[in-house]
Amino acid sequence: MKIYSFEKLEVWQESVSLVKLMYSITESFPTEEKFGLISQLRRASISISSNLAEGTSRKTQKDKAHFTTISFSSAMEVLNQLIIGKDLGFISENDYILARTKIEKITNMLNALRNYQINK
C-alpha cells in the first residue's frame, strides 16, 4: 500500500493524535452539546490534519503554505473551543492541560513547516 507524503509528516501524525484526544474528551460532554461544542471540537481538530493532507497535493510552495496556515487557524479554533469547554466545566484540568500542550506542539510544528514552505 502506498504511503502518501502527508502521512510521513510528524505534524500530521500529531494532529491525528489530537483528533483522537478530542473524541475521547468530548465523549463525556453533555448530550445537548452533540451539535454544539462536541461537533465543533471534532470537526476543527479533523480540519488540522485534513488541510495538511490537502496542502501536500498542491503544486506551488505558496499554495502548500496557504493550507498550512489554514491548519494553524483550525488549531486556534480548537484551542478557543477547549477554553470555552473548560470554562463551562465540560473539560477537566488534566485533559485541558494535555490538549493545550498538544496544540502548542502542533502549532510550533506548523509554524516551522510554513516557514520552510515559504522560504524554499
Side-chain angles (χ1 to χ4, degrees):
M1 180 181 324
K2 179 179 179 172
I3 305 241
Y4 289 88
S5 60
F6 71 87
E7 294 176 281
K8 298 174 189 173
L9 291 172
E10 186 180 346
V11 66
W12 178 83
Q13 294 167 8
E14 287 291 332
S15 64
V16 170
S17 174
L18 179 65
V19 171
K20 295 173 187 175
L21 180 59
M22 290 303 99
Y23 270 75
S24 174
I25 288 173
T26 56
E27 281 179 2
S28 63
F29 277 33
T31 53
E32 63 265 17
E33 285 301 322
K34 182 177 182 181
F35 301 108
L37 274 178
I38 293 172
S39 175
Q40 288 292 100
L41 271 166
R42 290 177 177 186
R43 290 171 58 126
S45 65
I46 291 168
S47 182
I48 300 168
S49 59
S50 295
N51 279 293
L52 282 168
E54 186 172 353
T56 62
S57 70
R58 299 302 169 141
K59 299 282 186 218
T60 68
Q61 292 302 317
K62 183 178 177 182
D63 263 355
K64 291 174 192 275
H66 174 72
F67 280 89
T68 302
T69 300
I70 294 171
S71 291
F72 186 94
S73 297
S74 294
M76 291 297 97
E77 186 178 350
V78 172
L79 178 57
N80 174 66
Q81 293 161 359
L82 279 170
I83 293 167
I84 292 168
K86 182 180 176 294
D87 287 350
L88 292 172
F90 300 157
I91 300 173
S92 72
E93 184 70 23
N94 286 343
D95 282 345
Y96 175 75
I97 291 169
L98 178 63
R100 190 163 181 132
T101 301
K102 190 170 277 294
I103 290 169
E104 184 176 343
K105 180 178 182 180
I106 289 167
T107 55
N108 287 339
M109 294 170 86
L110 288 170
N111 276 330
L113 178 59
R114 186 173 184 278
N115 288 336
Y116 170 79
Q117 291 165 329
I118 289 172
N119 296 314
K120 187 173 178 186

